Structures are given as structure tokens and as C-alpha cells.
Amino acid sequence: MSMVRRLLTTTLTSNGLRDLRRARHRLARRIGGRAMTVDFFFQVDDPYSAIALPYLDALVERYGLTLKLHLVPAPDAAAAPEIERLADYGRRDARMLATTLGLAPIGAGHPSAAQIARAQAIAAAALNGERPIDALTAVGCACLDEDTDAALAAAAERFGALDAATTATIVAQGAATRQKLGHYLGATTHFEGEFYWGIDRLHYLEARLRAEIGASDAPVCPVLDLRALPAPVEAATRPRLDFYLSFRSPYTLVAAERIGALAEAYGADLRLKFVLPMVMRGLPVPGAKRMYITLDTKREAARAGIAFGKIVDPVGLGVERGLAVLHHAIAQGQGLAFARSFLRAAFAQGIDMTTDAGLLPVAARAGMQPDAVHAALADPSWREVAEVNRTDLFALGLWGVPSFQVDDRPAWWGQDRLWRVEDDLCDALNLPPIDRKTS
């Protein structure tokens, strides 16, 4: 069974299969004489939708794309089981992104269900108007304005509004199209078989478009990432850097491979805080979500030069055994080394972590002897630590991994916020801020 899983995931994440799919879509488009067409799924109360639209507009203009806009509801509970935390964090994160990139500011409003319905009616009316991207951007910003009612009233005066029944039909059609194509979130762009979420992934779409047309001018979409790390910083005090991780998260592999160098460069005290995966905490992970995460991790890992794709999912017993050993490895100063070794084994080497034949060599790579591994496996105290860490994570307003916090600053979720962690480390050390628009 492990061999079959390795073969399937290796094939699924291979560049060869990706290139074959792209070639098939490109050929069908050219034979049919169709334009390059992108679909964007707009959720009125999702701030990532509003801040992605200006860049999508720039892509349409630069590369001559045909744009289809779809109005969609919030993801269902299965795809986003902590929907309130996701919404609260998304507003904070999107405000940070808008400030970093010099975009129009995003408000801190918390729209009610009635206000969301009104915003959808206005957005639905704007879909077929002139400059719908500008209209949807305005509606998204109005929905999150501190005075939401007044902002929506102004938007309705400009763009009009459809009746509730017609709006509901349009939203349902958008949700059906999104589901058919294989996604579950708002702020997502789809182009010929691949999805690109928010601002963070549009540079992948642009790279694909540039390769097809042979563009040589500067790209328009930002790539927010760690800069070339400096020589280790000397400081009187060391910032605390908490790293929340689980052993079933492929994104955690990407973070684990990079965070050690980040901590070393800024002299941070790196603390590993492990939690059980969501699915082992009773939270569902639908198939479309697993598929997107796997393929998205592949491109993120490839960009960072990290091996990924030969997978034997350690969920269940494999995760439990790994966390038991990690608990002891942290106490012995080998935590990050073991975490990296385990994650590489599960997500890049296809090693079955439910057996000693898999786990013992993986632990040995991190400097742990078999006796220490067996002692760790016999100690159930890791479960209490994992629960304490989960409670701490929830207290930060987060729920998933990888997540990070520098000292007592706001925490950030996702390996693609490591650059924001770097900014926090600079702030903690009173170093000059990094200009992310030019770095």
C-alpha cells in the first residue's frame, strides 16, 4: 500500500504531468480559436478578493486575457471549519498586505449576514456593468468599511443592486462553477486547470503566461518572500520565535526547511510547538482541499528548492509516533533536526512512519539512538503538550499550521508569511525595516 501511495503522489505532483496538462489545455484553446481565459471567484466579505483584483486587472491588461468574474459565497464548514477565526485573521492579514504593497487600505469592519447579502446584490448588478473589476473592488472595500451601511449605500447608488432571488441564483451558479473546477475558497483565480489563491499565488500565473508568450518586460505581480538573509545579527537579547507545526501538514515541511536559517540569521530563540493535525482533532479536510494543498505545496517547495511529492501520509499512528519522538527530541536540543527528518520522510521520500523500520532511520538522521526513540514512544506526555500548544494557538486567534509568533507580536499563519516573521524579527532587534515593494 505504501508503494502505491508513493507512486500515485509522485505522479500527481510531477512536473511531467503538470506540463502535459498545460499542453493539452493550450492545444485545445488554439484549435478552438479561443482567447486565454481566466476565472476569478469573488467573495464580497473576503478581503483577499478585494486586494487581488487590482493585480488581476493588470494581468488582463498586460497579457490580453479574457476575464470571467464569478460571485461566490463563503466556503462551507467542511472546507473552512474555523470560519470565524479565518475571517478575523483574513481581515488583519489583508490589511497588512495592502499596507505592505501600497494598495488602498482595507477596513476593519465585520459585516453582518444582512450586509453581506446586500453587498452580494450590488456585486451581482455590477458583474455586467462597465469596469466590473473596479466595481467589485469598491463593493469589497465597502463591505469591510467601518461604517458598512453607509459605504454599501454609496456603492448601491453607483452600481445598482439586483433582487434577492436573482442574486441568490448568481451566487449559486458561481459556487457550482467553483466546485466543478475543483476549489472551495474565494479570491481564487483559475486558468486552464490550475488555481491561484489571492495575491500570494498570482505570480505563478503570470510566470506561466510570460512563458507562453515569451515576455521580456518586468512582471506586474509581487513575490513576497524572505530576502537574502544577513550574516548572524549580534544582539543583547534574543527574540523568541514560536513555530507551531504538525506532522501532517505539507506546508510545514516548507517552513521547517527555512525557519532554522531565519532564526540563526536574527539570533532568535526558536521554540517548536507541535499540535495534532486538524483531521485528528475532528475537523474535516475535503478532497478538493487536500488536492489543492498538495499541488500548491509542490510549487512552493520547488521555488524554494525543497524536495516534495513522494508522499506516504502519516495521519494517525504515524503522526502520533512522530510527535512522541519530537517531544523528546526538543528536550535534547534535536527538535528541528528531527522535525525536518520526519517531514522529509513523509512528504519527499515516501517513508512509512508507522513502523520502526521507517521511524528509526529517520530519527537516526537527527542524531537520536534507538533506545531514545523507544523511550519516547513509551511516554504519552506529548499529548498533554500538544493540547497546551493547541490552546495557545487558538488564543492567538489562529487554528492551523504552520504558524509563527515573534515575542508577543501578532501571530502569522502560513509558510508564505515567513517574510512577515522576518519583518517582526527586524522590529524586535530595532533593525531598519525592509521595503518589501523593492526587496
Side-chain angles (χ1 to χ4, degrees):
M1 182 61 69
S2 295
M3 183 180 298
V4 173
R5 284 182 285 179
R6 282 194 296 270
L7 179 61
L8 288 174
T9 55
T10 301
T11 302
L12 174 67
T13 59
S14 69
N15 290 340
L17 181 59
R18 179 204 64 192
D19 293 344
L20 181 62
R21 286 172 173 164
R22 289 181 177 180
R24 178 172 57 82
H25 281 287
R26 186 166 55 246
L27 180 62
R29 168 175 26 99
R30 291 176 177 175
I31 291 174
R34 298 190 298 270
M36 291 190 295
T37 301
V38 295
D39 295 88
F40 183 75
F41 297 90
F42 179 80
Q43 179 186 329
V44 294
D45 58 322
D46 175 6
Y48 296 114
S49 288
I51 62 175
L53 280 172
Y55 289 101
L56 188 62
D57 192 23
L59 290 178
V60 169
E61 178 68 22
R62 173 73 67 86
Y63 302 104
L65 305 176
T66 295
L67 175 64
K68 293 182 178 179
L69 293 165
H70 307 272
L71 192 60
V72 295
D76 61 31
E82 295 290 344
I83 190 66
E84 290 301 322
R85 285 187 170 87
L86 174 63
D88 288 343
Y89 175 78
R91 285 186 285 265
R92 173 168 69 86
D93 186 49
R95 287 196 298 273
M96 179 275 294
L97 284 173
T99 299
T100 299
L101 296 170
L103 300 173
I106 296 295
H110 289 226
S112 66
Q115 289 168 332
I116 291 171
R118 187 177 187 192
Q120 288 176 334
I122 300 167
L127 284 177
N128 294 318
E130 293 186 11
R131 294 290 302 165
I133 285 184
D134 293 344
L136 293 187
T137 301
V139 171
C141 291
C143 198
L144 299 168
D145 194 275
E146 282 78 358
D147 189 349
T148 308
D149 284 331
L152 288 175
E157 187 173 349
R158 288 180 62 192
F159 308 117
L162 299 184
D163 62 86
T166 304
T167 299
T169 298
I170 291 171
V171 172
Q173 289 170 343
T177 300
R178 179 176 62 179
Q179 182 178 22
K180 180 181 178 181
L181 291 174
H183 215 279
Y184 50 97
L185 290 175
T188 51
T189 304
H190 178 268
F191 175 65
E192 296 187 351
E194 295 177 30
F195 274 98
Y196 308 88
W197 174 81
I199 285 180
D200 291 274
R201 299 296 185 267
L202 280 179
H203 66 89
Y204 287 117
L205 171 58
E206 184 171 20
R208 186 175 167 189
L209 297 171
R210 290 170 66 80
E212 175 157 344
I213 68 174
S216 58
D217 49 357
V220 299
C221 292
V223 181
L224 294 168
D225 201 355
L226 296 175
R227 64 176 178 174
L229 294 177
V233 174
E234 298 291 339
T237 59
R238 302 179 67 193
R240 186 191 81 243
L241 173 51
D242 289 341
F243 173 29
Y244 291 85
L245 70 152
S246 92
F247 275 166
R248 208 223 176 182
S249 160
Y251 290 126
T252 296
L253 165 66
V254 180
E257 294 286 6
R258 309 184 74 195
I259 200 167
L262 179 63
E264 181 179 357
Y266 291 95
D269 177 19
L270 180 62
R271 306 193 314 183
L272 273 61
K273 306 190 76 171
F274 55 85
V275 298
L276 279 171
M278 287 196 300
V279 72
M280 294 175 65
R281 289 185 264 138
L283 302 177
V285 183
K289 185 174 182 178
R290 291 196 304 270
M291 177 68 74
Y292 176 74
I293 287 173
T294 299
L295 296 178
D296 185 54
T297 302
K298 172 66 176 184
R299 61 191 174 195
E300 285 286 278
R303 185 165 63 89
I306 298 167
F308 174 81
K310 187 182 292 185
I311 303 169
V312 173
D313 189 348
V315 67
L317 181 61
V319 166
E320 292 180 342
R321 286 160 58 85
L323 294 184
V325 177
L326 177 61
H327 180 40
H328 280 238
I330 291 170
Q332 297 170 19
Q334 299 165 308
L336 184 59
F338 176 74
R340 284 174 169 168
S341 185
F342 184 100
L343 289 162
R344 289 171 184 169
F347 293 107
Q349 297 162 339
I351 297 174
D352 184 354
M353 303 306 293
T354 65
T355 67
D356 285 353
L359 181 60
L360 290 176
V362 166
R365 294 190 308 208
M368 299 189 69
Q369 300 301 315
D371 288 350
V373 173
H374 289 302
L377 293 174
D379 178 10
S381 63
W382 67 269
R383 294 183 182 275
E384 181 178 349
V385 175
E387 178 56 22
V388 169
N389 292 340
R390 185 201 64 80
T391 301
D392 291 346
L393 183 64
F394 273 52
L396 295 173
L398 301 180
W399 65 99
V401 297
S403 290
F404 318 91
Q405 185 186 34
V406 174
D407 293 333
D408 294 323
R409 290 167 176 77
W412 304 102
W413 172 44
Q415 55 81 29
D416 44 16
R417 289 296 175 266
L418 281 174
W419 62 269
R420 191 61 181 82
V421 175
E422 182 181 21
D423 288 352
D424 285 348
L425 290 170
C426 287
D427 182 64
L429 294 166
N430 295 313
L431 297 174
I434 300 168
D435 184 353
R436 293 292 173 184
K437 293 191 289 294
T438 60
S439 63

